[in-house]
Amino acid sequence: MRAMVLDSPGGLLREADLPQPRPDEGQVLIEVHACGVCRTDLHIIDGELAHPKLPLVLGHQIVGTVVDRGTGVEHISLGERVGVPWLGYTDGSCRYCRAGRENLCEHARFTGYDIDGGYADYTVADARYCFRLPEGYPDLQAAPLLCAGLIGYRALRMTGDGKRLGLYGFGSSAHLIAQVAHHQGRRVFAFTRDGDETGQQFALTVGAEWAGGSGQPPPEELDAAIIFAAAGELVPAALRALARGGTVVCAGIHMSDIPSFSYDLLWEERTVRSVANLTRRDAEEFLALAPRIPIRTTVESHPLAEVNTALERLRRGAFQGSAVVVTDAALRVKQADTDASIRHDRTRSPPAQSVSRSATNQA
Ligand SMILES: [Zn+2]
Ligand SMILES: [Zn+2]
């Protein structure tokens, strides 16, 4: 099978011909159709997350079809469409798992980091961490729900019931979570890189009532803020924007150092916290909620072999919304997807929004 492989941090992903993996007990073999590109991939490639499996197939927002099952898998059928997220394995027995906090499992393993992921024609996954995806989301539009959506949703929960919400770093996650927050009746304030007027205009179309550069103060105090960008200097900036008792949630897996700041910024019961990984409960809740809003994902697509281009465009902030790579198998099901969305349009199901780019029109 074709796969895009990281040999060592600092390099590009290399196209390779690998043997098709086989599902072990409790695992399924998935024919990958689409896989969302995530900033975490860049942290792994750049060596900022220190211990990836090597060589490694990255990719942890996988959409595909189950084509084989190991022993003991009963709740997923052959031919079923599933999504695979970042959390790929837990032991189920450590004190965090037993307390319903499997996102903090002491022996957790992560897709596209400890386990080969979705930048390949096939992947195997622990069946416990495969999720049914809402109908009405074609593969491309479903992929960003699996990390940008899920972990963003967990971060949103951690903000409590704050009405005025700041989103710092308006990329894949923020464009989905702004829609959830808006749906919940919150007021969304979007912060992009300073001077990114295109990003600010985009934010206003997906639920933000105000958008500006992250160096700007919001027009009024915020009750909570989520930082999706990997820039530590946004922590004091977000604290400065908070009302008393407000919370700053850091949603990324890696961030540059946070500069020192005056205790005054934290005083009056302000909180800074991180969000790590996801639980199956987060996934079930979010995937049920997405079509009810409905969340629309703005996606640009790239062929699997051009994942390096997608990652470089992510690094430069060169697109709005999410980037997704697609395999050859996705082209075979494209017609079926089209038929499905036509069916769904008739029944008033979520219209997914797609900005599709081919390799030739990016230059
Ligand atoms: Zn991710
Ligand atoms: Zn555990």
Side-chain angles (χ1 to χ4, degrees):
M1 67 168 190
R2 179 156 66 169
M4 298 301 291
V5 175
L6 179 71
D7 291 310
S8 63
L12 291 174
L13 306 189
R14 167 180 61 86
E15 186 169 345
D17 189 15
L18 300 184
Q20 185 173 308
R22 297 159 81 96
D24 256 330
E25 185 179 350
Q27 292 181 327
V28 291
L29 175 68
I30 296 167
E31 181 188 62
V32 178
H33 293 166
C35 186
V37 174
C38 177
R39 181 157 295 279
T40 297
D41 299 337
L42 293 178
H43 295 314
I44 297 169
I45 291 168
D46 293 345
E48 290 163 337
L49 299 183
H51 305 290
K53 159 194 181 299
L54 288 173
L56 170 68
V57 179
L58 286 99
H60 58 265
Q61 306 190 80
I62 306 170
V63 177
T65 304
V66 174
V67 291
D68 196 8
R69 306 187 298 179
T71 54
V73 177
E74 266 149 33
H75 69 289
I76 298 179
S77 319
L78 292 181
E80 205 167 324
R81 184 174 82 137
V82 293
V84 182
W86 169 245
L87 184 62
Y89 170 87
T90 60
D91 58 16
S93 59
C94 75
R95 64 197 181 106
Y96 298 103
C97 284
R98 281 185 281 118
R101 306 173 80 191
E102 64 179 354
N103 60 309
L104 302 178
C105 175
E106 290 171 345
H107 300 106
R109 301 180 71 209
F110 300 104
T111 311
Y113 184 61
D114 303 302
I115 306 167
D116 279 336
Y119 297 152
D121 289 331
Y122 292 88
T123 193
V124 289
D126 185 325
R128 298 174 302 160
Y129 292 92
C130 293
F131 300 106
R132 289 194 179 84
L133 296 167
E135 289 179 32
Y137 285 87
D139 297 340
L140 257 184
Q141 276 73 26
L145 302 178
L146 287 158
C147 181
L150 284 185
I151 294 183
Y153 177 68
R154 183 174 180 84
L156 180 63
R157 268 219 331 246
M158 299 301 168
T159 64
D161 55 8
K163 268 267 183 261
R164 297 164 298 178
L165 176 71
L167 300 178
Y168 286 78
F170 209 86
S172 184
S173 231
H175 99 281
L176 306 180
I177 294 315
Q179 297 174 58
V180 181
H182 181 71
H183 173 79
Q184 292 174 338
R186 305 192 202 219
R187 299 172 54 202
V188 178
F189 300 78
F191 296 83
T192 67
R193 296 178 205 207
D194 285 316
D196 178 8
E197 281 168 24
T198 313
Q200 289 161 17
Q201 284 306 314
F202 175 63
L204 296 174
T205 67
V206 289
E209 69 171 57
W210 175 91
S214 55
Q216 266 176 271
E220 56 188 286
E221 289 183 319
L222 304 176
D223 301 310
I226 305 174
I227 302 180
F228 292 110
E233 66 268 22
L234 292 176
V235 173
L239 276 171
R240 204 167 281 126
L242 282 192
R244 298 172 186 191
T247 300
V248 173
V249 179
C250 303
I253 195 167
H254 172 85
M255 195 178 242
S256 58
D257 287 355
I258 300 170
S260 71
F261 54 86
S262 161
Y263 179 63
D264 292 349
L265 293 184
L266 194 61
W267 173 240
E268 294 169 330
E269 302 198 340
R270 294 177 179 86
T271 306
V272 177
R273 66 165 303 158
S274 66
V275 156
N277 314 316
L278 66 135
T279 64
R280 279 172 280 189
R281 198 188 124 207
D282 295 326
E284 281 149 18
E285 278 183 23
F286 177 72
L287 293 171
L289 179 63
R292 291 210 306 269
I293 292 177
I295 296 175
R296 297 159 191 256
T297 58
T298 297
V299 174
E300 74 166 34
S301 68
H302 298 261
L304 173 62
E306 290 171 24
V307 66
N308 288 310
T309 304
L311 288 162
E312 199 42 48
R313 286 175 58 75
L314 173 62
R315 192 187 288 287
R316 287 192 281 115
F319 56 84
Q320 307 304 325
S322 311
V324 174
V325 297
V326 291
T327 62
D328 293 344
L331 303 174
R332 292 203 303 275
V333 296
K334 198 168 175 214
Q335 188 55 46
D337 278 344
T338 308
D339 295 347
S341 25
I342 291 163
R343 262 201 320 278
H344 282 292
D345 283 349
R346 286 192 194 123
T347 55
R348 239 190 93 257
S349 231
Q353 186 180 335
S354 175
V355 182
S356 214
R357 304 172 67 106
S358 74
T360 45
N361 68 12
Q362 286 153 22

